Amino acid sequence: QLKLVESGGGLVQPGGSLRLSCAASGSTLDYYAIGWFRQAPGKEREGVSCISSAGAATYYADSVKGRFTISRDNAKNTVYLQMNSLKPEDTAVYYCAAEVTGTIVHGCPIYEYGDWGQGTQVTVSS
């Protein structure tokens, strides 16, 4: 019943910023950990960041640590990914997905996540 919809992608120059949103319907996000994943052309889908159900725990891939910030507003049923200092290698389709235990222990293993959104394209280019 949970449905996730990503938005906020677009074309941005290197060094720029974007904020992605993952909006949920059909169920409250209160019980779910939420992960952001991305898939670049010719590459496998990889975990970018994830956040526990109450927001107390977060994880960032080394490639985005210090540049991206994940947050959530459970009252709005939305999770955000603030992306700063964007690089061309950040170009990908970005997806959000839900994890039912609500916890983060070992990064954001893709097999633990489901109810995938449709994705939003992020392109970083001059």
Side-chain angles (χ1 to χ4, degrees), residues 26-69:
S27 182
T28 178
L29 283 183
D30 291 357
Y31 305 107
Y32 298 95
I34 298 294
W36 283 99
F37 302 80
R38 67 186 182 187
Q39 188 164 20
K43 296 184 178 180
E44 296 184 354
R45 192 171 299 185
E46 63 176 349
V48 176
S49 182
C50 44
I51 186 167
S52 61
S53 60
T58 58
Y59 171 85
Y60 298 92
D62 288 343
S63 59
V64 307
K65 195 173 299 181
R67 299 188 296 120
F68 291 10
T69 302

Side-chain angles (χ1 to χ4, degrees), residues 2 28-35 50-59 70 72 74 79 97-109 112-115:
L2 178 66
T28 178
L29 283 183
D30 291 357
Y31 305 107
Y32 298 95
I34 298 294
C50 44
I51 186 167
S52 61
S53 60
T58 58
Y59 171 85
I70 192 169
R72 65 192 300 157
N74 285 345
V79 175
E99 192 270 350
V100 297
T101 72
T103 61
I104 295 172
V105 180
H106 304 293
C108 315
E112 294 184 354
Y113 287 78
D115 297 311

Side-chain angles (χ1 to χ4, degrees), residues 16-20 67-68 81-86 94 122:
S17 297
L18 286 172
R19 188 179 75 157
L20 306 184
R67 299 188 296 120
F68 291 10
L81 185 67
Q82 179 67 47
M83 305 186 296
N84 298 326
S85 301
L86 283 163
Y94 283 71
V122 172

